[in-house]
Amino acid sequence: MTVRVAVAGASGYAGGELLRLLLAHPEVEIGALTAGGNAGTPLGQHHPNLLPLADRVLTDTGPAELAGHDVVFLALPHGHSAAIAAALDERTVVVDCGADHRLNDPSAWTRWYGGEHPGTWPYGIPELPGARERLRGSTRIAVPGCFPTVSSLALAPALAAGLVEPDAVVVAVTGTSGAGRALKPHLLSAEVMGSAAVYGVGGAHRHTPELVQNLSAAAGTPVKVSFTPVLAPMSRGILATCSAPLADVVDTGAARRTYLDAYGDEPFVRVLPEGQWPQTSATLGANTVHLQLVVDPDAGRLVVVGAEDNLTKGTAGGAVQCMNLALGLPETTGLPTAGVAP
């Protein structure tokens, strides 16, 4: 089976990571590579690491360039995917790495992104309850945000099992690539190196409604989420510390059994051995989430720490994983579980 794939937004970080993974996918033939302002330039100017594609010239992003492919990945800013997807054949598998189709609630979309809600597509975290079945055979897929991927997987089993109250706190440290490739003063190396800074504090980050949506679905009841992202001096990776009050007396061993039952058969989610804590370096370039948990008896809280590469499992790897499911391919095809170290 040969799958012809196009990538829109190929000059950005997410687009580049998609292409890195697709180059290693045994069933994929890479077709159109498109960009906005970078159209007309060679891909190697933006991603010199992608040597096999370095001489390919980026074209404009539009339905005409993307038509005729089996799969189209949209690695575009929010608000740009819906119109392009609507112009593509319904049989084409369209995987949206942006925010346009993640939220179920139209009012939440309007509040956080503005404008008319573009509609909801099957949501791309296969490890969440029921998600894998909805993704199989789908021709429209919404890839989650990078923060909701690791944080939802960190807390969903505890909420689903009733181990904790529906009141979560998430503090997640991230690298600068999560903000995209556009030039922004606060992301200059002189501003970032040697410093850590919070942003989007007090429920102001756009991934908050996505976290609420995912965790409420897992709990079967509305979940409050306090989310604080922290920008750290690294290029990629997320380390999320997630906690919630215990619903009843439970020890760490019982909580671990809940997580091992939930993720024991998952190829990309690893509950680490006791005493070993996640670190972003261990997930670099891998389509994995590493988890560890502990009950804090004095605080009466469950604490779960998760690590991922925001560009791999948090975006592009998750997108390829969903493509595999949609096409009926083995879910793990072309996806690395070994990170790059040191």
Side-chain angles (χ1 to χ4, degrees):
M1 174 181 189
T2 300
V3 181
R4 186 163 169 78
V5 172
V7 175
S11 62
Y13 289 138
E17 185 72 352
L18 274 166
L19 291 170
R20 182 181 75 86
L21 297 172
L22 292 171
L23 281 167
H25 197 295
E27 308 295 342
V28 161
E29 174 190 335
I30 297 174
L33 305 179
T34 79
N38 291 320
T41 62
L43 182 73
Q45 180 177 317
H46 311 283
H47 300 298
N49 59 308
L50 301 177
L51 191 60
L53 300 171
D55 295 331
R56 294 277 299 273
V57 175
L58 299 170
T59 62
D60 288 320
T61 297
E65 290 75 21
L66 301 173
H69 293 81
D70 300 304
V71 179
V72 173
F73 290 98
L74 301 176
L76 303 173
H78 77 267
H80 289 71
S81 298
I84 291 175
L88 296 175
D89 193 301
E90 292 182 357
R91 295 168 295 181
T92 301
V93 175
V94 181
V95 184
D96 185 9
C97 297
D100 287 22
H101 302 95
R102 296 171 184 166
L103 298 181
N104 295 327
D105 183 356
S107 64
W109 169 267
T110 300
R111 174 187 171 189
W112 291 92
Y113 293 96
E116 185 177 351
H117 184 226
T120 304
W121 291 356
Y123 189 75
I125 303 182
E127 297 86 0
L128 291 180
R132 189 170 273 116
E133 291 67 31
R134 290 188 289 272
L135 291 165
R136 287 194 176 101
S138 177
T139 61
R140 296 292 186 271
I141 294 167
V143 176
C146 51
F147 286 119
T149 296
V150 61
S151 304
S152 299
L153 291 170
L155 287 172
L159 287 162
L163 297 183
V164 295
E165 300 290 348
D167 187 357
V169 174
V170 176
V171 179
V173 179
T174 184
T176 56
S177 61
R181 202 164 193 171
L183 293 177
K184 301 170 185 176
H186 73 285
L187 298 180
L188 295 173
S189 62
E191 303 291 336
V192 174
M193 293 300 105
S195 178
V198 298
Y199 64 103
V201 183
H205 195 283
R206 282 172 166 162
H207 286 179
T208 301
E210 202 176 333
L211 279 166
V212 170
Q213 176 177 287
N214 295 349
L215 297 180
S216 297
T221 191
V223 175
K224 293 189 294 183
V225 179
S226 172
F227 172 46
T228 304
V230 181
L231 186 66
M234 58 185 185
S235 61
R236 54 201 286 171
I238 292 176
L239 187 72
T241 301
C242 312
S243 71
L246 294 171
D248 204 346
V249 177
V250 65
D251 61 19
T252 298
R256 278 185 61 84
R257 286 191 291 275
T258 296
Y259 277 73
L260 291 170
D261 288 345
Y263 295 134
D265 296 327
E266 290 293 346
F268 299 121
V269 181
R270 168 76 163 157
V271 180
L272 297 177
E274 290 186 67
Q276 183 179 346
W277 288 90
Q279 50 189 333
T280 57
S281 61
T283 62
L284 182 65
N287 192 54
T288 55
V289 169
H290 290 186
L291 298 175
Q292 186 58 278
L293 60 140
V294 68
V295 169
D296 182 341
D298 294 325
R301 299 182 73 87
L302 176 69
V303 180
V304 188
V305 177
E308 71 173 8
D309 186 324
N310 58 294
L311 291 178
T312 315
K313 178 59 172 167
T315 308
V320 173
Q321 185 180 348
C322 291
M323 177 194 75
N324 288 339
L325 283 167
L327 296 175
L329 296 169
E331 189 173 336
T332 57
T333 306
L335 290 170
T337 55
V340 178

